[in-house]
Amino acid sequence: MAHLKQAVELDPIPLQTNSTFASVLYRARRFEESIAQARRCVEMDPSHAATYGPYGFALMAQQRVKEAIPMFRRGAALSSVPSFLASIAYA
């Protein structure tokens, strides 16, 4: 995780690195940080579908279901990956 954080700090532009960092933060159970990182990714490029998964799951982990569902829906609208639809059903 430290290497990803350093990569983001050195060059905050690559969206994939930022999105991956949001996912890693979610998996580390650092939900507020994951939400903040995912929010930055959405601000950088709202059409980047991969960001919406960790964003939604981090919100779900904090019992913020009403905020999570639109994230999963947005991801599903941008991508044909079935996991977004499963995430909506899960929420």
Side-chain angles (χ1 to χ4, degrees):
M1 183 177 338
H3 295 294
L4 262 175
K5 183 177 182 181
Q6 185 179 19
V8 169
E9 289 170 352
L10 290 173
D11 188 1
I13 301 304
L15 188 58
Q16 188 59 47
T17 304
N18 280 278
S19 183
T20 299
F21 190 39
S23 185
V24 168
L25 288 166
Y26 164 73
R27 287 184 175 89
R29 304 182 66 78
R30 293 168 60 177
F31 304 125
E32 282 299 325
E33 291 172 83
S34 177
I35 291 166
Q37 184 65 30
R39 189 175 297 123
R40 281 190 289 276
C41 290
V42 169
E43 289 170 0
M44 290 169 67
D45 183 359
S47 68
H48 186 69
T51 301
Y52 291 94
Y55 199 169
F57 282 115
L59 289 165
M60 290 278 294
Q62 295 202 317
Q63 308 301 314
R64 294 163 62 180
V65 177
K66 289 183 180 183
E67 294 173 72
I69 292 172
M71 296 305 126
F72 296 137
R73 286 190 175 142
R74 180 72 178 144
L78 294 169
S79 172
S80 60
V81 176
S83 62
F84 283 113
L85 296 175
S87 299
I88 294 168
Y90 175 72

